Amino acid sequence: MRYKVEGLLIKELSLFKDNRGWLGEIIREDESEIKPVMSYLSMTNPGLVRGPHEHKEQTDVFCFIGRFRVYLWDNRKTSATYRESKTIDTDVPTVVIVPPGIVHAYRNTGDGEGIVINLPDRLYKGWGKKEPVDEVRYEEDPLSPFRMNE
């Protein structure tokens, strides 16, 4: 499913359930051109926020597990959807693929710990963690246009 922000992909994870629990495929090589090169897991406490920030070259493949509000702003001057934004709420495991130049942030809106898995297509700080970080952070910028209104 594509949304009005160009290049953004949001989909509820299809869950395969049995008596042990469930399993969901986050990304498959035969269904996506994105090639993750690392993965990490984070936990966000209730009510807290991560972001906003953007990457210049990196695509993020997030999987949100828990209740989150995800904020997205198109900051690509060459994009047909430049300056458009989108907010989504997750109640079920949801995959959000964020291309470079899309500013993103999320808030845990649940009552418990919220889990996020990310499978980016670039190594954090490059090979051997020796390169500059590929991101522009807006959290501390009082003039930033990227604000979470709630």
Side-chain angles (χ1 to χ4, degrees):
M1 176 181 308
R2 294 207 179 271
Y3 283 90
K4 67 179 187 177
V5 176
E6 185 178 294
L8 179 67
L9 178 70
I10 300 168
K11 69 175 185 177
E12 290 183 4
L13 206 58
S14 296
L15 301 180
F16 303 95
K17 298 178 181 177
D18 65 19
N19 64 344
R20 298 168 297 175
W22 55 263
L23 178 147
E25 296 176 342
I26 297 172
I27 190 168
R28 292 178 51 98
E29 184 177 22
D30 60 347
E31 296 175 354
S32 175
E33 296 177 3
I34 299 164
K35 306 296 181 216
V37 297
M38 65 176 289
S39 62
Y40 65 86
L41 173 71
S42 64
M43 184 282 293
T44 303
N45 286 317
L48 296 185
V49 172
R50 293 182 187 259
H53 74 267
E54 69 179 294
H55 298 281
K56 293 299 182 187
E57 297 182 24
Q58 176 176 304
T59 296
D60 285 321
V61 180
F62 290 110
C63 183
F64 293 92
I65 303 168
R67 295 184 67 205
F68 288 92
R69 176 159 291 163
V70 182
Y71 304 84
L72 303 145
W73 301 267
D74 190 345
N75 198 31
R76 302 167 296 177
K77 292 180 180 172
T78 58
S79 170
T81 55
Y82 177 59
R83 296 284 188 199
E84 291 192 30
S85 63
K86 175 124 189 97
T87 303
I88 63 166
D89 291 308
T90 69
D91 286 329
V92 297
T94 302
V95 173
V96 180
I97 298 178
V98 181
I102 302 286
V103 179
H104 49 285
Y106 55 86
R107 177 187 311 274
N108 178 352
T109 56
D111 296 328
E113 297 176 345
I115 300 298
V116 179
I117 298 168
N118 190 13
L119 305 137
D121 68 348
R122 289 181 54 103
L123 291 172
Y124 180 75
K125 296 178 123 182
W127 194 259
K129 299 181 181 178
K130 297 177 182 172
E131 298 174 17
V133 176
D134 170 43
E135 63 186 6
V136 179
R137 305 202 72 87
Y138 298 100
E139 294 94 327
E140 305 299 325
D141 181 355
L143 302 176
S144 170
F146 311 112
R147 299 274 177 221
M148 294 162 280
N149 296 326
E150 51 188 88

